[in-house]
Amino acid sequence: MIKLFQYLALIALLTACSQKSEPNALVLPVSNTIKVQESDSKDTILLKAAHVVPTSNQFDALQNEFIAFIHFGPNTFTRMEWGNGMEDPKIFDLQNLDTDQWCKAMKDAGMKMVIFTAKHHDGFVLWQSRYTKHGVMSSPFKDGKGDVLKELSESCKKYGLKLGVYLSPADLFQIENKEGLYGNLSEYTERTIPRQVEGRPFENKTKFTFEVDDYNEYFLNQLFELLTEYGPIHEVWFDGAHPKRKGGQTYNYLAWKELIRALAPKAVIFGKEDIRWCGNEAGKTRDTEWNVIPYQEDPDQMNSFADLTEESLGSREDLYKGKYLHYQQAETNTSIREGWFYRDDTDQKVRSTDDVFDMYERSVGGNSTFLLNIPPNREGNFSPRDVSVLEEVGERIKETYGENLLSGANGPQGVLDDDPSSFELLGGGAQEMVVETNAPITVNRLAIQEAIDTHSERVEKHAVDAWVDNTWKEIATATNIGYKRILRFPEITTQKLRIRILESRFYPAIANVSAYYYKARPPQLSIERSVEGSVAISPKKDTFGWKPHGEDIAGNINSGYNIRYTTDGSEPTVASEIYTGPFKIPSGEIQAVAEVNGKLGSVASQLFGIVKKDWKSVGEDSFEGENVAQNAFDGDSNTYWSSSDKAGKHFINIDLGKEYSITGFTYTPQVLSADGMIEKGTVRMSTDGKTWKSVEDFQFGNLINDPTTRTHMFQSKINARYIGIESKVIAGNGKTAAIAELDFLLD
Ligand code: FUL
């Protein structure tokens, strides 16, 4: 506990201390978790936070920076986001699995590890498990003898990639099938792990005894297989998502952890105390991502962990509320394709190189790890489009971050020697440092790292200046640093850079400072349409590196750019029409690209349905407050229709103004909360707006974690003027149905 004299010393330090080493009286032993005492003052809590450090496994995991996710399984063949556990294993008809091709592409992208869905929510196992027949052993893949995980683990060794496993706690096969173990209300008794299976001995002779039920035993047996026969395993990924639950099933995570720590001593655990979810599946990052997180209980003893989705998690005010301060880093996970599983190469959007590179800089340069999913196709390969994005991203990372423009510069050697274990301690009198190069450099990126493994994350606010025209010019500011902060700013030519620490929790230890140059590219675009049907194309707002005409253009391209576009679904070229201002289209797909001196940027595309200006609501079963039915088709996804929360089905009916031949629809859920996501429903039509009949059911998976716009194409066209949506199942057992936006598609 901090004593009064130490507290006073801290106050003195924070006001006017001039020494440049940490005052011994205030230095605490560093630890992964530090308990807060009831009597601790706010300053003491901050001091404790400044001594919370990652474990060596967490630190290694942070240094991976860019890692891969692979979602593969029956969903790849059914084209669903979530399976139901009742899929026939025969659908897993894999003919040409090529895990070397996966690994080569991941390696080319600069990724260091791959996490594989050994078992997704459907319960189908992609390895030769002893404990179930629901998996590759019952599929046509290599006549039931194939093992996808084995092939991947061999390819990983060949290509020098680390391997992680995703084992879904939710298991629909074990829920739905008669003999299923999930929620079967079995007794908790002492069980030996692994359970021996005749003819299939383990080479690893470790044994564990746990007091668990049938499903936890099943899960532990499977973990034993994964961690002893496919290793070394570097990450175990526990998804918090649950399409369904049964029998009050709970999980004995503390037993799982004991087994993991013993069998995979190098592994970090995701979804629990080592690594937390960043809070979205869209690749968004917080401006300030703290990894020292306050907890109410000791995280090392906790059996279950909630998703932390709030915008602010580790600010001073957050820390003051904690009883334990714990290092738990964020992982930013998203998919290169729309959805986590491969569906097709025509309608499923693939993210552009610009987009992936932007997410890379924001997440790796935002104190987090970037986990990008690449779903293999039904052939068993990464599709060519995904491969070329991975290659281009890898090249761009090398081109941008391959050469540190500060190498050979003068300044504090602890930050210039590229060695993460040496550092420069700031604070006290010295709140800034200057680095000077031998010749002028042109830069637009700066990376700063704190020595988090020995000194935690301490910087709360900082600024960077460049020496230009005999004076310091501020070029960038940001909040925290932590593992790494990448600052992006318009290019500047200078010989001297200054880093100023504006606020910190304690003496910050800066481990590295490096500078880079990113070659600016044509901007990414966004395409929007008003309710009247007028289409506008503009540069995407949150991308850096370009400013539109008339403004000071960042980057090295000094002329303007053209926007080229098509309206027939074809990819725009240098010969496509030039965009001069908003134009109208009745429906269809717009594709657009920015062009600079014949060079094209990445293509943006947007599908638009029927223009909504003549639509009218012809009834809904109910609405809550101001959330009327019209909000579902006002072209504004910030407003939404929300039914009451009376149990049962909910519907809205729409008059489209005239009859159309409709091919499908898109559903945009509201995103203000997890309420009202329509997981299953039916499309209805009417010829007079009075009597209605159901025409086709639809189903969308994983809406709560990934509330993006979903598309359902009809089996055959529906000719209708009056059309409606009725909900049948709301995600997460909700009662309210909500729609932010509905679109009906034409040919
Ligand atoms: C989610 C799951 O429900 C998705 O299917 C996917 O696995 C993603 C990574 O996590 O919560």
Side-chain angles (χ1 to χ4, degrees):
M1 207 168 89
I2 305 272
K3 302 204 175 70
L4 182 65
F5 75 87
Q6 291 174 318
Y7 171 69
L8 292 174
L10 175 63
I11 299 292
L13 160 87
L14 294 174
T15 47
C17 178
S18 66
Q19 79 203 84
K20 208 188 150 189
S21 64
E22 296 171 286
N24 281 341
L26 291 175
V27 175
L28 306 173
V30 294
S31 175
N32 190 232
T33 309
I34 300 185
K35 191 173 186 334
V36 175
Q37 305 293 345
E38 244 172 66
S39 55
D40 282 349
S41 67
K42 289 183 172 178
D43 289 323
T44 306
I45 296 174
L46 282 191
L47 188 63
K48 286 187 169 178
H51 290 84
V52 175
V53 297
T55 60
S56 63
N57 284 354
Q58 286 178 312
F59 191 48
D60 286 350
L62 278 162
Q63 291 176 81
N64 290 333
E65 299 198 342
F66 187 19
I67 60 177
F69 219 164
I70 292 193
H71 277 66
F72 194 44
N75 296 351
T76 312
F77 293 85
T78 58
R79 301 162 202 235
M80 299 301 286
E81 268 306 290
W82 275 356
N84 57 22
M86 292 176 283
E87 291 82 8
D88 182 346
K90 299 267 172 305
I91 59 170
F92 192 75
D93 188 9
L94 184 55
Q95 297 296 335
N96 298 308
L97 178 67
D98 187 355
T99 51
D100 274 2
Q101 187 247 11
W102 305 0
C103 288
K104 178 171 184 314
M106 295 185 282
K107 196 74 188 170
D108 286 346
M111 294 162 152
K112 299 277 173 358
M113 171 160 74
V114 47
I115 298 166
F116 180 67
T117 54
K119 177 186 88 166
H120 201 250
H121 305 328
D122 54 28
F124 182 96
V125 300
L126 286 104
W127 80 97
Q128 289 289 341
S129 176
R130 295 161 178 78
Y131 304 101
T132 182
K133 287 273 160 276
H134 190 66
V136 281
M137 61 293 279
S138 308
S139 78
F141 170 49
K142 301 198 169 164
D143 292 329
K145 306 261 171 348
D147 188 324
V148 185
L149 187 62
K150 179 108 291 149
E151 294 197 30
L152 178 60
S153 95
E154 277 156 18
S155 300
C156 280
K157 286 184 189 125
K158 194 153 136 198
Y159 284 86
L161 284 164
K162 295 180 196 164
L163 179 64
V165 286
Y166 168 115
L167 188 70
S168 172
D171 188 323
L172 291 164
F173 177 75
Q174 296 296 342
I175 286 181
E176 303 291 0
N177 117 55
K178 263 210 283 65
E179 314 283 288
L181 304 173
Y182 188 110
N184 68 353
L185 305 176
S186 56
E187 252 180 77
Y188 269 68
T189 53
E190 208 171 85
R191 326 242 175 157
T192 304
I193 306 295
R195 182 184 283 267
Q196 297 304 323
V197 172
E198 227 189 283
R200 305 267 316 260
F202 284 97
E203 229 170 78
N204 186 314
K205 299 295 174 209
T206 317
K207 287 206 164 36
F208 299 84
T209 314
F210 296 114
E211 172 115 359
V212 287
D213 65 354
D214 288 354
Y215 185 67
N216 280 285
E217 183 199 327
Y218 176 70
F219 202 82
L220 286 158
N221 280 326
Q222 295 203 322
L223 275 174
F224 191 95
E225 295 183 308
L226 296 176
L227 304 180
T228 58
E229 299 187 324
Y230 300 87
I233 297 296
H234 281 89
E235 183 158 339
V236 183
W237 220 90
F238 292 133
D239 199 332
H242 281 78
K244 201 168 180 176
R245 297 190 190 252
K246 186 182 157 193
Q249 179 69 53
T250 54
Y251 304 132
N252 296 105
Y253 168 63
L254 290 171
W256 306 357
K257 174 160 77 168
E258 191 181 323
L259 184 127
I260 296 168
R261 298 286 191 232
L263 298 176
K266 286 267 154 219
V268 278
I269 307 179
F270 172 92
K272 308 290 175 189
E273 71 271 40
D274 292 343
I275 306 193
R276 74 198 146 81
W277 180 40
C278 66
N280 70 85
E281 294 185 351
K284 291 195 198 124
T285 45
R286 293 182 176 85
D287 288 341
T288 308
E289 186 75 79
W290 288 107
N291 285 336
V292 175
I293 305 291
Y295 270 90
Q296 293 309 308
E297 287 167 69
D298 182 354
D300 301 303
Q301 307 295 323
M302 278 164 58
N303 194 59
S304 72
F305 286 76
D307 287 335
L308 304 178
T309 53
E310 295 86 352
E311 184 56 32
S312 171
L313 295 178
S315 68
R316 288 187 180 204
E317 290 306 317
D318 299 323
L319 295 175
Y320 298 152
K321 295 180 206 137
K323 298 204 170 87
Y324 290 84
L325 306 175
H326 177 64
Y327 196 93
Q328 190 192 29
Q329 66 223 41
E331 219 175 58
T332 304
N333 64 332
T334 195
S335 182
I336 199 166
R337 285 178 169 257
E338 247 174 342
W340 291 97
F341 288 88
Y342 176 89
R343 288 198 295 274
D344 57 57
D345 271 325
T346 44
D347 293 333
Q348 191 179 18
K349 275 193 193 166
V350 178
R351 287 183 188 272
S352 67
T353 304
D354 287 342
D355 194 8
V356 174
F357 183 75
D358 173 57
M359 289 189 294
Y360 167 87
E361 289 193 313
R362 282 188 290 103
S363 52
V364 174
N367 204 19
S368 142
T369 304
F370 184 24
L371 172 58
L372 178 70
N373 177 63
I374 314 102
N377 57 27
R378 284 180 285 282
E379 292 294 301
N381 299 321
F382 285 181
S383 291
R385 275 186 70 186
D386 309 36
V387 172
S388 72
V389 171
L390 292 177
E391 277 170 7
E392 284 171 23
V393 166
E395 274 161 28
R396 203 172 288 189
I397 293 172
K398 265 197 232 128
E399 181 189 298
T400 311
Y401 292 102
E403 192 195 348
N404 174 9
L405 301 171
L406 295 184
S407 84
N410 298 312
Q413 280 317 296
V415 305
L416 293 171
D417 60 4
D418 218 19
D419 174 1
S421 61
S422 67
F423 54 84
E424 174 75 7
L425 199 66
L426 295 180
Q431 295 285 4
E432 58 181 56
M433 63 171 102
V434 173
V435 291
E436 193 166 355
T437 52
N438 297 323
I441 51 169
T442 301
V443 296
N444 54 16
R445 299 287 190 272
L446 199 85
I448 312 180
Q449 297 187 271
E450 283 184 80
I452 52 162
D453 55 330
T454 52
H455 287 72
S456 184
E457 44 183 31
R458 297 176 174 181
V459 176
E460 293 174 309
K461 199 168 171 198
H462 63 290
V464 178
D465 311 317
W467 185 254
V468 194
D469 299 334
N470 287 321
T471 180
W472 285 116
K473 180 180 179 219
E474 188 176 281
I475 53 171
T477 60
T479 52
N480 70 329
I481 295 177
Y483 169 70
K484 190 182 266 186
R485 166 70 75 174
I486 295 178
L487 295 143
R488 311 192 277 191
F489 45 88
E491 68 178 47
I492 192 134
T493 302
T494 184
Q495 240 177 293
K496 252 197 309 192
L497 290 162
R498 179 169 74 174
I499 290 148
R500 278 179 293 131
I501 306 302
L502 304 173
E503 274 165 38
S504 63
R505 291 174 177 179
F506 196 44
Y507 287 63
I510 307 297
N512 267 312
V513 176
S514 46
Y516 305 96
Y517 181 70
Y518 171 73
K519 196 165 101 238
R521 268 104 181 151
Q524 294 190 62
L525 301 176
S526 78
I527 310 170
E528 276 160 6
R529 189 180 67 168
S530 69
V531 192
E532 279 75 36
S534 172
V535 175
I537 311 176
S538 55
K540 218 171 156 183
K541 289 195 189 62
D542 59 356
T543 56
F544 183 79
W546 187 271
K547 285 185 187 159
H549 280 301
E551 289 184 53
D552 174 28
I553 291 172
N556 63 346
I557 298 168
N558 296 311
S559 58
Y561 61 89
N562 287 320
I563 291 175
R564 305 261 178 193
Y565 74 100
T566 61
T567 55
D568 60 0
S570 65
E571 198 165 307
T573 65
V574 284
S576 299
E577 190 140 353
I578 294 184
Y579 172 77
T580 50
F583 57 92
K584 289 206 164 171
I585 53 155
S587 69
E589 188 183 6
I590 305 289
Q591 294 206 12
V593 68
E595 179 229 337
V596 180
N597 303 333
K599 276 213 156 61
L600 298 179
S602 50
V603 177
S605 70
Q606 191 64 49
L607 193 60
F608 294 109
I610 305 170
V611 173
K612 302 182 210 174
K613 76 174 177 2
D614 298 327
W615 295 13
K616 283 187 203 69
S617 161
V618 280
E620 69 281 292
D621 70 297
S622 59
F623 64 92
E624 263 305 280
E626 306 199 321
N627 301 317
V628 294
Q630 280 81 352
N631 290 346
F633 48 87
D634 61 357
D636 178 359
S637 53
N638 295 314
T639 64
Y640 57 91
W641 162 65
S642 171
S643 71
S644 69
D645 62 4
K646 275 192 293 127
K649 298 173 181 174
H650 298 290
F651 66 85
I652 67 170
N653 294 332
I654 302 169
D655 173 2
L656 303 175
K658 66 174 197 186
E659 187 173 309
Y660 291 95
S661 197
I662 305 166
T663 53
F665 77 99
T666 67
Y667 164 53
T668 306
Q670 65 83 24
V671 292
L672 291 179
S673 68
D675 286 345
M677 313 266 172
I678 306 179
E679 189 170 302
K680 287 186 187 165
T682 189
V683 177
R684 306 153 15 121
M685 63 168 282
S686 158
T687 45
D688 55 7
K690 291 183 190 108
T691 45
W692 294 82
K693 63 164 193 221
S694 289
V695 274
E696 190 165 320
D697 287 350
F698 62 88
Q699 184 175 345
F700 302 120
N702 196 27
L703 283 165
I704 293 181
N705 287 334
D706 182 21
T708 46
T709 301
R710 304 306 178 91
T711 306
H712 175 91
M713 299 308 291
F714 299 137
Q715 306 285 337
S716 51
K717 288 182 198 166
I718 296 176
N719 295 320
R721 167 174 173 168
Y722 301 99
I723 194 154
I725 299 288
E726 182 176 73
S727 68
K728 284 186 174 170
V729 175
I730 305 297
N733 283 331
K735 296 204 177 93
T736 309
I739 300 177
E741 215 54 34
L742 266 184
D743 281 277
F744 291 100
L745 309 173
L746 303 178
D747 255 343

